[in-house]
Amino acid sequence: MTKENKEENKQILDLIKKIDQDPKKVDNYLSLSTKLIEQGSFDQAKELLEKARGLVKHPQDLDYNLAVCYYLQGNFEQALALLEKIPNDDLSMYQKALVYLKLGQNQKALAYALSIKKIDNQVKELIGDVWLSLGELSSAKEAFLSIEEGKRSAKVNFLIGVALLESDKGQADRYFELAKEKDPSYYAKALDQYTSLMKLISNKENKE
């Protein structure tokens, strides 16, 4: 176990103790569920939050974290039901856009994504994803390219390639290669995931 893992486990144990000492304090549930989510323990985080809803004074304060759990587990309708109760801010609109994108309601996803005020790289990537889902390759390319070159993930480079396929196949291939160099495993999965879309774009290009 690394030093970081030991520290992480210690923090989790400390939070569990705090919850045992004061089971009605919301902040400890939020902190612990966030750590569990970061570790990929979505089931544990969900179980914790659902149990906490019956203990804390304002269970709605747990809704965002619980919605994230539902989203990460693929329970998009449940996630949306909670998110709709939360007032719109950048955080909730980002999550709503993610959920609507997964539900195939791409126009709603776009509306929320474009309403986010603080645009960081994560938001730029989301906006690119939504534009791509709508078949708007130029807008998708613009969103992805707005992410600084050194901070582009394999996914972003790959999707820039997809967005460029129609207009500049040579450039598209360059970005595919960058994605492959950065993360060969992701590249292989992405080829499978986006095969249909890439064929559609290529066929459209050939017809023109």
Side-chain angles (χ1 to χ4, degrees):
M1 185 181 289
T2 66
K3 186 178 179 181
E4 285 182 3
N5 286 340
K6 284 181 181 178
E7 180 59 30
E8 194 75 18
N9 286 342
K10 182 181 180 302
Q11 289 174 4
I12 286 173
L13 289 172
D14 287 344
L15 284 167
I16 291 171
K17 285 179 185 176
K18 287 180 181 178
I19 287 171
D20 288 340
Q21 290 165 2
D22 187 357
K24 293 187 177 182
K25 189 172 182 181
V26 170
D27 290 350
N28 292 328
Y29 291 108
L30 293 175
S31 296
L32 180 54
S33 61
T34 298
K35 289 199 173 295
L36 291 171
I37 289 168
E38 287 171 352
Q39 287 189 347
S41 302
F42 310 138
D43 289 343
Q44 285 179 272
K46 185 192 80 165
E47 188 178 333
L48 171 75
L49 291 166
E50 287 179 339
K51 182 180 176 182
R53 283 169 70 86
L55 298 171
V56 300
K57 189 174 182 180
H58 300 291
Q60 66 271 20
D61 292 343
L62 302 166
D63 283 353
Y64 180 80
N65 279 31
L66 187 53
V68 171
C69 287
Y70 287 145
Y71 168 80
L72 292 169
Q73 291 179 315
N75 298 320
F76 305 126
E77 295 287 358
Q78 283 180 282
L80 188 59
L82 284 179
L83 289 168
E84 292 293 2
K85 299 176 184 177
I86 301 172
N88 284 333
D89 59 17
D90 280 357
L91 204 59
S92 62
M93 287 192 291
Y94 177 83
Q95 197 64 38
K96 285 175 186 178
L98 283 177
V99 173
Y100 276 120
L101 184 59
K102 287 291 187 181
L103 289 171
Q105 298 184 41
N106 300 329
Q107 289 291 352
K108 282 188 177 181
L110 182 65
Y112 278 112
L114 293 179
S115 298
I116 297 170
K117 293 183 175 66
K118 187 179 179 182
I119 309 296
D120 59 14
N121 287 337
Q122 201 173 19
V123 174
K124 290 173 185 176
E125 184 175 333
L126 170 62
I127 292 170
D129 286 340
V130 179
W131 279 125
L132 194 61
S133 73
L134 289 164
E136 298 289 345
L137 301 183
S138 179
S139 295
K141 178 187 72 174
E142 185 180 338
F144 291 132
L145 285 173
S146 69
I147 298 171
E148 303 94 292
E149 192 171 337
K151 295 185 178 179
R152 291 174 194 158
S153 63
K155 177 201 164 191
V156 169
N157 280 322
F158 187 90
L159 294 183
I160 292 172
V162 172
L164 280 165
L165 260 181
E166 186 178 17
S167 60
D168 191 336
K169 190 174 183 307
Q171 275 286 82
D173 287 340
R174 186 173 79 83
Y175 281 101
F176 289 143
E177 193 58 37
L178 285 172
K180 188 176 181 180
E181 287 173 10
K182 198 166 189 71
D183 189 340
S185 176
Y186 169 80
Y187 175 79
K189 289 177 186 174
L191 278 179
D192 286 338
Q193 184 180 350
Y194 291 97
T195 294
S196 298
L197 177 59
M198 290 165 73
K199 280 183 180 176
L200 190 67
I201 294 169
S202 296
N203 290 339
K204 183 180 175 185
E205 181 189 9
N206 292 335
K207 285 177 185 176
E208 291 174 354

